[in-house]
Amino acid sequence: DAGVTQSPTHLIKTRGQHVTLRCSPISGHKSVSWYQQVLGQGPQFIFQYYEKEERGRGNFPDRFSARQFPNYSSELNVNALLLGDSALYLCASSIGLAGVYEQYFGPGTRLTVT
Amino acid sequence: AQSVTQPDIHITVSEGASLELRCNYSYGATPYLFWYVQSPGQGLQLLLKYFSGDTLVQGIKGFEAEFKRSQSSFNLRKPSVHWSDAAEYFCAVGADVEYGNKLVFGAGTILRVKS
């Protein structure tokens, strides 16, 4: 079975631009979560979507938004990029709500903001 | 607030030696606990999880972890380390609906294996 997939693998953007990252969960998983991992740190929770509804939000500014589609895939959008947004963005899927069910992670999207 | 502390940033062990990675958590209810491993440039792979029941849990790749409620700890162990175990290891606590439906990760421990 395919695991969690993310696209693109790498991305280079300029300050002030907008970016969209995409994630496809494991088949049968209804929950998708997004995490930001800055170099040298553990992943930080951004959002969780379950059955197309936002079910959790981390301490990130409103420049960050996400949505989940009827096929349970998800997009993470970041507006007005800052240098500090450079990080590895990880998507994770689970059968049920994150925190209670184990999450399976994709390979990540490496975003570099110049 | 939920938090996870991994006191060791780096650990170096010899191949074939035993390993213990420390993890302490802070959580207001019965915790769901996880260990993940991350190889350079890759995503996280789940090693094992604790939800309830037996406090010693077995995972993949020969890893095990012991939940100690009195010490708020969930240390990861392996009796004999292989060179391929070199990676970064993350401990995480799962926060349920009351605490935000998320995983809260520690800062990670980088394991180096010397031959």
Side-chain angles (χ1 to χ4, degrees):
Chain A
D1 286 341
V4 177
T5 59
Q6 293 185 242
S7 63
T9 305
H10 296 87
L11 205 51
I12 300 175
K13 291 286 190 178
T14 304
R15 278 177 296 176
Q17 287 188 316
H18 162 89
V19 68
T20 297
L21 310 181
R22 295 177 175 82
C23 171
S24 292
I26 292 171
S27 178
H29 285 194
K30 299 181 178 181
S31 170
V32 170
S33 297
W34 288 94
Y35 293 82
Q36 180 195 65
Q37 186 179 20
V38 174
L39 197 62
Q41 297 182 19
Q44 298 292 316
F45 173 73
I46 309 175
F47 286 110
Q48 184 195 183
Y49 277 77
Y50 178 71
E51 288 281 21
K52 292 154 280 183
E53 291 187 3
E54 183 183 306
R55 301 298 293 268
R57 185 182 185 107
N59 188 25
F60 280 80
D62 291 343
R63 298 185 296 108
F64 288 77
S65 64
R67 55 179 175 168
Q68 187 177 33
F69 298 99
N71 66 354
Y72 301 107
S73 67
S74 177
E75 284 183 352
L76 175 69
N77 295 283
V78 187
N79 293 323
L81 285 167
L82 303 174
L83 294 179
D85 295 330
S86 295
L88 181 67
Y89 287 84
L90 295 164
C91 173
S93 75
S94 53
I95 291 176
L97 289 170
V100 178
Y101 291 87
E102 59 260 44
Q103 293 189 290
Y104 296 88
F105 284 79
T109 294
R110 174 71 63 184
L111 172 65
T112 301
V113 182
T114 62
Chain B
Q2 315 87 45
S3 66
V4 175
T5 301
Q6 294 181 247
D8 304 305
I9 299 173
H10 297 96
I11 281 185
T12 300
V13 299
S14 298
E15 191 169 15
S18 63
L19 170 70
E20 182 169 27
L21 302 182
R22 296 183 291 165
C23 172
N24 293 97
Y25 67 90
S26 173
Y27 187 62
T30 301
Y32 301 91
L33 295 162
F34 306 84
W35 275 99
Y36 285 87
V37 61
Q38 186 178 36
S39 297
Q42 298 190 14
L44 282 76
Q45 182 182 22
L46 179 65
L47 286 176
L48 48 77
K49 61 185 183 289
Y50 170 79
F51 285 175
S52 64
D54 194 349
T55 57
L56 185 64
V57 294
Q58 303 296 321
I60 62 172
K61 304 184 179 186
F63 286 93
E64 66 179 25
E66 185 172 13
F67 170 60
K68 292 185 178 180
R69 184 185 299 274
S70 62
Q71 299 177 19
S72 297
S73 69
F74 188 55
N75 294 349
L76 182 71
R77 301 195 294 247
K78 186 169 185 177
S80 178
V81 169
H82 187 262
W83 64 267
S84 61
D85 293 325
E88 189 161 17
Y89 292 79
F90 292 95
C91 180
V93 62
D96 63 16
V97 60
E98 184 176 355
Y99 294 93
N101 288 326
K102 61 186 179 184
L103 287 180
V104 176
F105 285 87
T109 297
I110 297 172
L111 173 64
R112 299 189 178 114
V113 180
K114 59 182 181 181
S115 56

